[in-house]
Every structure is written in structure tokens, then in C-alpha cells.
Amino acid sequence: MTCERARDLAPGYVLDALDRNEEVAVRAHLATCPERHPEFAALGEVVPSLLELGDLELVEPPVSLGPRIMAAAAADLGAHPRRAAEAAPASAAPATASAPLPFPSADERETRRLSQRATRLDWAMRIAAVIAIVAVGAWGIGLQRQLDTARTFDTAVATVLQSAAQPGARTVVLAPAAGASATGIGAVGPDGRVVLAMRGLAPTTGSQVYEAWVIVGQKPVAVGGFTADANGTAAFTTRAADAPAGAVIALTLEPNPGNTAPLGPVVSAGAPLGPAGATS
């Protein structure tokens, strides 16, 4: 049993419509396969509800219903003779009473009920197949998004390492503040520009920005801001600033850009380390 074959059989499995051998094979595959099969859970939550529609039973109408309908129709045509003339063809022969249609027997109703049940099962299987395709597709999209996020962060880290290789550059590791998850790595270049590679950032909304600060003593200096999307990664290069030994590089989440003093919470911070061979 391959993963592809198991996915093909997923709709029938959750509907309990497989034969015994296929059911056993799918169950054994799910128990031993190292890959996850989220499509089974997705189908198991949605598809069975398609079969919970009650069986519709045909009910024989009362004997008086037919005459009442015919009497109402005759009264309507009598009140609107022009409508009756337009509805009847010019060459129409005199109407003759037609034989009443026989009401289906109990056997015929049971046959129809089983046919309706089979039709619903057929449609449920088709819908289940579509849901399986969508579930597998969404799973693949999720994996692709994770790969794209990893590639974006790797590219940002490569930029940081390139900056850190310059003579006199210093590196900084940014750790998350309490209640935050943002982490990153940066390099403070010889000109004081800070190159950052961040991940785990909460997406910004509205006018929010992440502002980078160089803090010397108790005096923070804003050196530039950026936004973050749903991937939570960012690559950013700040403006040049004086960052002597003992300075701290920090990120805050600001309600709007252009603030000269932090208004939002610190989400990540770290102190630059001296270049190789330095004593600071």
C-alpha cells in the first residue's frame, strides 16, 4: 500500500465503503507509514455528515386533494377567460378525462428509496474525493510556505554574515523579550549600520512597524523601521548610528512609524560582540 493509493482510498475508508482487504490494507498503512495523512482526519470530520440526510418517504395524498386542485384551476380560468383562451391551442380537441396515474406501490417506493440512497452515496464519494484533493493540496501549500519562509531567512542570514565579514564589524544575537518569540542575528558594520535577519515576528497590521534602536546608556536612537508579513521573517538594514561598546540593539513594535522614543514593547534585543581579536 503506497501513500498515493491510501489517499485515493481515503473517501471510501471514512465512509466505510471499502471491501475488507482494502480496509485492512489502509489501516495497516496508516499505522506504519512515517508520513502524516491529514486528509483522513479532514474527511472524517466532513464527509459522514453528507449521509445523515434522512431517507425521504413518499406519502400518499388524500383522495380529496385532486378534485380541490381541479376546482381551483377551473375557478381561476373562469375568472380570467382571456387567459384560458390564450393557454388553449386554436386546434385543440375537446378535452377528455385522462386516466389517473397509479400511486407507486410499497415495493416501488422501496426501490426508489434505495436508488436515492445509492445516489447520495455516489455524490458523497465524489465530494469526498474533491475534499481529499483540496486537503492534500492545502497540506502541500503549507509545506511550500514553510520552505519559502526558511529560504527567506537563510538569505537574510547570508546578508548578515557578509556584513559581519568586514573588518571591524561586530555581530549581535537578538533574543526574544518576555512574552515575545522574535529571534535573530545581526551585524554592526564599520559605518554603524546594523544588518538584521529576524524570524518569529508577529505580523504587523495597520500603521504598525518594527523600529530598530541603538541604545547607549538610557538614550535610545531610532535607526529605521520595517513591517512583517504572515511569514514572520524580515531582512533589514538600518541607518548609520554610533554603537560603541556596551550599546544594545533592540526592536520594538510601534503603533506608527517616525517615533523618536519607544512607545511600543521591546520584542527582541541583544548587545553587539566585539570583532575577532578585540578586547571590548
Side-chain angles (χ1 to χ4, degrees):
M1 175 67 64
T2 64
C3 289
E4 182 178 359
R5 178 58 177 162
R7 293 189 184 102
D8 290 340
L9 295 176
Y13 182 81
V14 299
L15 291 172
D16 197 22
L18 300 180
D19 61 38
R20 178 62 178 168
N21 291 336
E22 288 178 330
E23 180 183 352
V24 171
V26 171
R27 185 178 292 110
H29 178 80
L30 295 177
T32 59
C33 181
E35 295 189 19
R36 298 179 58 189
H37 285 277
E39 61 274 10
F40 281 83
L43 292 172
E45 294 175 356
V46 176
V47 174
S49 62
L50 299 174
L51 298 180
E52 292 179 358
L53 302 174
D55 293 329
L56 301 179
E57 295 290 344
L58 295 176
V59 179
E60 187 170 1
V63 177
S64 60
L65 179 60
R68 290 205 306 270
I69 293 176
M70 296 303 296
D76 181 69
L77 291 177
H80 304 86
R82 182 177 178 182
R83 184 187 301 172
E86 292 175 349
S91 59
T96 57
S98 59
L101 295 176
F103 195 78
S105 66
D107 290 341
E108 290 173 332
R109 292 200 299 272
E110 178 64 15
T111 299
R112 292 184 185 181
R113 188 188 69 79
L114 294 176
S115 176
Q116 291 171 351
R117 175 74 177 180
T119 299
R120 285 200 299 274
L121 179 59
D122 177 65
W123 274 105
M125 292 288 289
R126 295 182 187 185
I127 295 173
V130 173
I131 295 174
I133 293 171
V134 173
V136 173
W139 183 44
I141 291 173
L143 291 177
Q144 185 61 48
R145 185 178 295 115
Q146 293 178 19
L147 290 174
D148 291 342
T149 300
R151 293 193 187 101
T152 300
F153 184 69
D154 289 347
T155 300
V157 169
T159 303
V160 170
L161 295 178
Q162 184 178 7
S163 179
Q166 300 179 66
R170 290 172 292 162
T171 59
V172 55
V173 176
L174 286 88
S181 59
T183 60
I185 186 172
V188 182
D191 61 353
R193 297 180 188 273
V194 184
V195 181
L196 296 172
M198 300 296 302
R199 63 181 174 185
L201 296 167
T204 51
T205 59
S207 61
Q208 287 182 323
V209 294
Y210 284 101
E211 186 72 33
W213 305 84
V214 175
I215 304 175
V216 180
Q218 299 296 319
K219 184 179 180 181
V221 176
V223 290
F226 59 92
T227 58
D229 59 19
N231 289 334
T233 60
F236 183 69
T237 301
T238 72
R239 297 186 292 271
D242 184 23
V248 172
I249 308 299
L251 282 182
T252 61
L253 180 57
E254 298 295 310
N256 54 269
N259 295 330
T260 57
L263 297 179
V266 174
V267 298
S268 190
L273 302 175
T279 59
S280 58

